[in-house]
Amino acid sequence: MTTNNPLLKVDHAGIQFGGLKAVSDINMEINPGELIGLIGPNGAGKTTFFNLLTGVYVPTEGSISLNGGKLNGMPPFKITRKGISRTFQNIRLFGELSVIDNVKVAYHSLAKHSMFSSVFRLPNHFSGEKEMEEKAIEFLKIFNLEGYKDDLAKNLPYGQQRRLEIARALAAYPKLLLLDEPAAGMNPHETKDLMELISFIRERFNLTVILIEHDMSLVMGVCERIYVLDHGQLIAQGTPKEIRNNPKVIEAYLGEEVV
């Protein structure tokens, strides 16, 4: 599933807030189709790194490229259009909108009809809205949420809200999907289902996925390679087996040197 040209290239990237280096000197190459884990203790800089990839923060050092095109300084909505979509550690759904409207909001960025046609209710407005409705229902069916399409998002059980957030991220048709702790708050059964779902959508949509997660059974079970952050710096990378036995990783998690 991989090629010689990386989809994502991170070259000595980092960000400094005042005198604090939150993330520093990150080097990473992610190939098309890979499912990558990003782990580390709390406060290691994982979500900050996602914010760099998505334009929430602008790197103060280094560069980030997608398909060879530099992303530095590009606003988040343009990075989404370039092909990076994400979920959040704390669920950020539009709670007062219906389930289907949450998905349609993401698909709107790709809509073929213009604001002019919507304001004046031209024929392509109605055909565009019909297409969005059909596409949104397709995504909801994948996540077994079509039966809740008219419910308010805030009324969904927690695990289904997580699924809806992933569905919304997919509705932007990304090349690279960033999942920030998707198993947070889930029970073991829900986590197992999520593992299968992540593998399925990666294959179904030909996606590249980077996964931040504290649940090691999920990371070790689905990821092909894993990067480890600690205090804003990469301390290790490798296969799940290599990471599991890496002394630096064990020290970072246990807080003591392994001899």
Side-chain angles (χ1 to χ4, degrees), residues 63 147 200 204 224 243:
S63 65
F200 170 76
R204 168 74 180 267
E224 297 147 345
I243 294 302

Side-chain angles (χ1 to χ4, degrees), residues 48-88:
T48 298
F49 178 66
F50 268 19
N51 286 337
L52 288 175
L53 296 183
T54 54
V56 176
Y57 298 148
V58 178
T60 53
E61 61 183 51
S63 65
I64 299 170
S65 300
L66 185 74
N67 273 334
K70 197 170 181 180
L71 301 180
N72 292 48
M74 196 175 288
F77 77 92
K78 287 190 176 180
I79 290 178
T80 298
R81 288 177 180 172
K82 289 286 184 182
I84 298 181
S85 191
R86 72 177 293 182
T87 65
F88 294 87

Side-chain angles (χ1 to χ4, degrees), residues 79-219:
I79 290 178
T80 298
R81 288 177 180 172
K82 289 286 184 182
I84 298 181
S85 191
R86 72 177 293 182
T87 65
F88 294 87
Q89 183 177 352
N90 299 312
I91 296 174
R92 296 189 187 179
L93 295 172
F94 299 104
E96 299 297 333
L97 293 182
S98 68
V99 167
I100 193 168
D101 282 344
N102 267 271
V103 178
K104 288 168 68 176
V105 163
Y107 190 71
H108 250 290
S109 65
L110 305 173
K112 298 182 176 112
H113 58 286
S114 66
M115 183 179 294
F116 178 86
S117 66
S118 296
V119 170
F120 290 97
R121 317 296 282 178
L122 299 179
N124 64 338
H125 160 76
F126 294 102
S127 62
E129 287 293 321
K130 183 173 183 292
E131 180 183 358
M132 278 196 293
E133 184 91 7
E134 292 170 350
K135 291 290 185 182
I137 289 174
E138 284 181 25
F139 283 113
L140 292 179
K141 284 181 178 178
I142 291 169
F143 291 86
N144 294 319
L145 292 171
E146 71 273 20
Y148 303 93
K149 69 182 183 71
D150 297 319
D151 293 358
L152 294 182
K154 68 178 183 181
N155 293 334
L156 288 180
Y158 184 85
Q160 290 174 333
Q161 288 190 29
R162 283 284 179 192
R163 285 172 170 259
L164 177 58
E165 192 177 36
I166 297 173
R168 184 179 64 183
L170 287 176
Y173 287 94
K175 301 179 182 72
L176 174 62
L177 177 63
L178 309 178
L179 300 176
D180 194 345
E181 295 195 34
M186 289 188 174
N187 62 43
H189 177 72
E190 290 172 328
T191 298
K192 182 177 179 296
D193 287 345
L194 180 66
M195 286 174 60
E196 295 172 356
L197 180 63
I198 290 170
S199 296
F200 170 76
I201 61 175
R202 190 265 292 257
E203 298 292 335
R204 168 74 180 267
F205 294 98
N206 194 26
L207 280 174
T208 306
V209 180
I210 304 178
L211 169 73
I212 291 176
E213 188 52 65
H214 284 290
D215 189 318
M216 289 299 102
S217 64
L218 192 156
V219 174

Side-chain angles (χ1 to χ4, degrees), residues 9-20:
K9 184 172 183 179
V10 182
D11 189 17
H12 298 285
I15 185 168
Q16 183 168 322
F17 300 105
L20 173 67

